[in-house]
Amino acid sequence: MFNIQPLNRFAGKAAAIKRPREIACFSYDENHQLHLDASSLKYYYPPRLPADLSAGYENFRNVEAAKPPDEHLIALLATIKNLEEKEGKKLEVDIVTWRGMMTKIMTAPFDRFNSCEMNATLYDGTIFIEEDRQTRVENEESQKRNLRHGVQPASFEMMSYWGYKFETLCVIPDTWDNVSREQIENRPNEQVSNYAQYCSVVRTGMGGTSLILGGEVDAIWDQKPDDPDAPINWVELKTNEEPYDQRSLEKFHRKLLKHWAQSFLLGVPKIIVGFRRRNILQHLEEIDVMSMPGKSKQFSQPGEWDGNTCINFAAAFLEFLKKTITSEGTWRISRKERDGTITVYKTSDKGHGDILSPEFVAWRQTL
Ligand code: A3P
Ligand code: MG
Ligand code: MG
């Protein structure tokens, strides 16, 4: 069991952080088929304003509605295997997981409603952590029910569509000089789909723990630099209701905690917020990820969230994880809503559950 409180033990200067570096990437195409390349990378190009975010909802191609099978760590492990084949050696690292799992851990100190269930296993000196899909589906169902009971401007499905519509309005498939004016102008009429995705796989470090994280990135500002070690100008796209009073402004700055953690972990330097009034996109704001913790402090109630505390908390939790998950079998990492602790317990003495794909295990056995 790992206690979240008291938080003051995590305050102060942040633990050492290694700047995330992209070591590989993968894409899902329009059929949600996996490719170990950058084919679904998108480029940012500002949208025309104002814009109707509800337009085209009836034609939304929503991959979630097709209920794809549990993805476990399959794509991430395939990418790691591919890289290891190229380099002819194993990647030594403490933790392999999705960026979303680390976001959950980093934000746990300040997000009382954050709950998570993850499965973990130790293999070949590395702890692999996946999301427990069943719990995610249950959480989404209860989120939908809660929204139905509250006063909302639109259904859960429609509000989720607004986010994807915003992405469609903001991106182009190549650098602007390789895309026609017609294609750029036609974005409001394009079918919205979340089947295609680009995911960046990075190597990073927190305190004494090394990590490989995979996560989706929405777009790139310019283009990938020639120097593979240079930072990449990723852009994270977000929609938000235009704040209309002090309370809604504070709510927005509370939400920045999740956006900050999500972007920070992959080394995304900038988020672009599309502010909407109901379903109408009104204006854009570019926010530097590094400036977010300070900015939020300025606009929120004292003690709302603190970036250094998140980093130190995550670094300490990862140390705890390395001390706990030391034998064969599978483990559950669990935090319930409003719970002040994260619990880690064994769920099986043998095997790796479904966390590791057979292809990955077979590959490692040849090394
Ligand atoms: P917004 O964040 O603008 O609302 P991401 O921002 O992580 O790239 O996600 C893109 C969009 O996917 C979100 O846009 C939101 O519309 C939708 N989305 C993300 N997570 C979701 C979830 N758990 N349930 C429903 N929709 C979600
Ligand atoms: Mg995204
Ligand atoms: Mg986004």
Side-chain angles (χ1 to χ4, degrees), residues 140 156 159-160 163-164 167 216 218 236-239 262:
E140 279 170 9
F156 177 86
M159 290 176 73
S160 158
Y164 294 116
E167 289 184 1
E216 200 219 340
D218 290 335
E236 170 61 48
L237 300 165
K238 291 287 174 195
T239 58
Q262 178 189 24

Side-chain angles (χ1 to χ4, degrees), residues 17 26-27 46 109 115 119 142 176 204 243 268 332 357-358:
I17 296 291
F26 66 86
S27 295
S115 64
N119 303 310
S142 82
W176 64 269
T204 184
V268 174
R332 177 56 71 94
S357 45

Side-chain angles (χ1 to χ4, degrees), residues 151-345:
V151 185
Q152 290 297 331
S155 68
F156 177 86
E157 288 78 7
M158 179 60 95
M159 290 176 73
S160 158
Y161 177 74
W162 290 343
Y164 294 116
K165 176 76 179 179
F166 178 56
E167 289 184 1
T168 309
L169 294 171
C170 286
V171 304
I172 47 178
D174 203 339
T175 50
W176 64 269
D177 48 332
N178 286 315
V179 175
S180 71
R181 182 57 32 204
E182 291 72 44
Q183 196 171 353
I184 294 173
E185 300 285 320
N186 193 46
R187 290 180 298 173
N189 307 317
E190 246 175 64
Q191 184 179 31
V192 176
S193 162
N194 57 8
Y195 275 67
Q197 266 181 34
Y198 171 95
C199 290
S200 182
V201 177
V202 305
R203 190 185 254 289
T204 184
M206 268 189 161
T209 304
S210 57
L211 301 108
I212 289 179
L213 301 176
E216 200 219 340
V217 287
D218 290 335
I220 191 166
W221 180 263
D222 40 15
Q223 58 190 338
K224 277 201 180 178
D226 293 329
D227 175 1
D229 270 343
I232 305 176
N233 287 324
W234 297 121
V235 171
E236 170 61 48
L237 300 165
K238 291 287 174 195
T239 58
N240 205 82
E241 188 181 21
E242 177 98 66
Y244 49 87
D245 60 9
Q246 185 60 26
R247 246 187 90 213
S248 58
L249 189 68
E250 285 173 12
K251 187 173 159 205
F252 172 62
H253 282 279
R254 264 202 306 278
K255 246 172 99 175
L256 285 186
L257 162 65
K258 276 189 202 157
H259 302 346
W260 167 77
Q262 178 189 24
S263 301
F264 173 89
L265 284 164
L266 288 187
V268 174
K270 198 195 285 284
I271 74 166
I272 293 176
V273 185
F275 286 106
R276 57 171 179 81
R277 246 179 264 146
R278 290 183 145 261
N279 58 312
I280 306 297
L281 180 64
Q282 300 283 350
H283 75 273
L284 307 177
E285 193 174 323
E286 293 171 17
I287 309 181
D288 286 333
V289 172
M290 286 307 170
S291 77
M292 284 162 70
K295 223 177 184 165
S296 275
K297 273 212 176 75
Q298 209 180 318
F299 287 100
S300 327
Q301 301 288 340
E304 202 61 78
W305 69 273
D306 173 70
N308 287 352
T309 303
C310 292
I311 293 169
N312 291 333
F313 171 82
F317 179 76
L318 294 175
E319 288 300 336
F320 164 78
L321 215 54
K322 286 191 290 184
K323 282 201 201 91
T324 309
I325 302 182
T326 52
S327 57
E328 207 194 322
T330 58
W331 304 74
R332 177 56 71 94
I333 301 168
S334 163
R335 186 202 180 187
K336 308 267 184 270
E337 224 177 82
R338 296 189 178 82
D339 202 344
T341 58
I342 305 182
T343 315
V344 181
Y345 57 93

